[in-house]
Amino acid sequence: MRLRGTMRINASGHLEIGGVSAPALARDFGTPLYVLDEVLFRENCRSYRKAFGQGNRVVYAGKALICTAICRIIEEEGLYLDVVSGGELFTALSARFPPERIYFHGNNKSEEEIRQGISAGVGRFVVDSLSELDLLGRLAGEAGTLQEILLRVTPGIEAHTHEYIRTGQIDSKFGLPIATGQAMEGMRRALASAHLRLVGIHCHIGSQIFDLEPFREAARVMLNFTAEVRTATGWLPEELDLGGGLGIYYVSGDDPPAIGDYAAAILGTVRETCAALGMFLPRVVVEPGRSIAGAAGSTLYTVGVVKEIAGVRHYVAVDGGMGDNPRPALYQAQYEGALANRMLDEPASVVTIAGKCCESGDVLIHNARLPYPEQGDVLVIPATGAYNYTMSMNYNRLPRPAMVLVREGKAEVIVARETFENLLSNDRMPDSLWKSSPHT
Ligand code: LLP
């Protein structure tokens, strides 16, 4: 397993994250446990800000990992925040994140969510459809505001990533396609609205992308489109938002570009293309999620039942699984693992790490090379900071894990472990059913 961020192996052969022993975290906070390396998370924010420089914007995509403490860190690091729902917006506002630094995304915002965003004073709505444009225009009018917006368009780019997380192609539920003329129609309608100010355009081509060419191509397609809009309407873009998508290292063979190289590719292409089109340089906006949160998070599990089927497979069951990390089941995502209490032992076995859900597909890692795992060992799976907690679920009524923030030998809970009472908090018992209980 590759060590990330502040991970170290101490003299007892234990993994440390943020100066705290992982087996000690498992003992003190229980498992499964999400552990977030604060130093690495902040370092990633800083790398982005430095790489994109003054004048451009880094908008952290909250869908990767969000809770109130994360919103505070994002604010402290000077980033903007992308939210995609009333729930994410509520989280950000509850953490006193400045609303003017919020970008409100979503392909099907409800009227209620739009009102919530307008009254909070969010900086930008990223408008996804013609109907949203009309609705937002009307609601902004009713509120007596001039709302700044970006229009999301689909540039028609196929990025090489899993089909479920590919979004830039024309056949997508997101955005207005340039190729069909709907994007141009959206621009005209936005410009005609008395209550909307069109600041720029947005696209997002997909996620977990290693190749820089699709990002360059997206920048070129988007700028060429704005040049067409300029010719047709005289409008000039202030902001070009190219979304997120930079990949991270999960397993051997993954080779993502550095944040600096990604930024240089985008900024260089924007400069060249604007020069060629005789356009002013717009502010460049990017929306990274995974490449900020992913490597900073690890999940700790306790090994339970170990089952060897001679000549077939060696199953090692842990106390979490698809409930806290649905990515392997959803996207065939791959992970590395290690035994956090035996980092120096020989990896002498090849095992299948299974979860505890009632699903045969609840497998976190196929063919993990580990020292022979025994009941009570602490398994660590790194690179689980993005799209794990935020995609977690209560299938089989498994409570969601806690999350701790670790730094310089200290661990603080930022999300409490769910309790059985939490699981019941929305259950309602009609009187008639309660009365039918033989025990009353
Ligand atoms: N901006 C927009 C409009 C997005 O839709 C997304 C991700 C991002 C930014 C951030 O992309 P990132 O930098 O994290 O790649 N659940 C999937 C990933 C879904 C991505 C959804 N949109 C997974 O676990 O791989």
Side-chain angles (χ1 to χ4, degrees), residues 61 63 82 152 165 204 207 245 287 289-290 327 331 387 391:
K63 70 207 86 187
D82 145 4
R152 179 165 181 168
I165 53 177
H204 170 77
S207 195
E287 300 171 341
R290 189 192 314 269
R327 301 192 66 257
Y331 320 115
Y387 306 109
M391 292 176 68

Side-chain angles (χ1 to χ4, degrees), residues 48 59-64 82 84 105-106 126 128 152 161-162 164-167 174 202-209 215 241-247 250 262 286-292 325-327 330-331 333 335 386-388 390-391:
Y48 262 104
V59 181
Y60 170 69
K63 70 207 86 187
D82 145 4
V84 291
H105 281 267
V126 182
D128 208 283
R152 179 165 181 168
T161 189
H162 194 282
Y164 290 2
I165 53 177
R166 219 187 279 149
T167 46
F174 299 104
H202 169 279
C203 72
H204 170 77
I205 57 172
S207 195
Q208 184 59 3
I209 297 169
F215 293 114
D241 185 338
L242 295 171
L246 179 62
Y250 284 101
Y262 162 77
V286 284
E287 300 171 341
R290 189 192 314 269
S291 48
I292 288 182
N325 183 0
R327 301 192 66 257
L330 268 178
Y331 320 115
Y335 287 94
Y387 306 109
N388 281 233
T390 50
M391 292 176 68

Side-chain angles (χ1 to χ4, degrees), residues 85 184 192 205 240 285 317 360 402 404 409 420 428:
S85 68
M184 182 63 87
I205 57 172
L240 175 66
V285 179
S360 298
V404 292
F420 289 158
R428 297 291 179 270

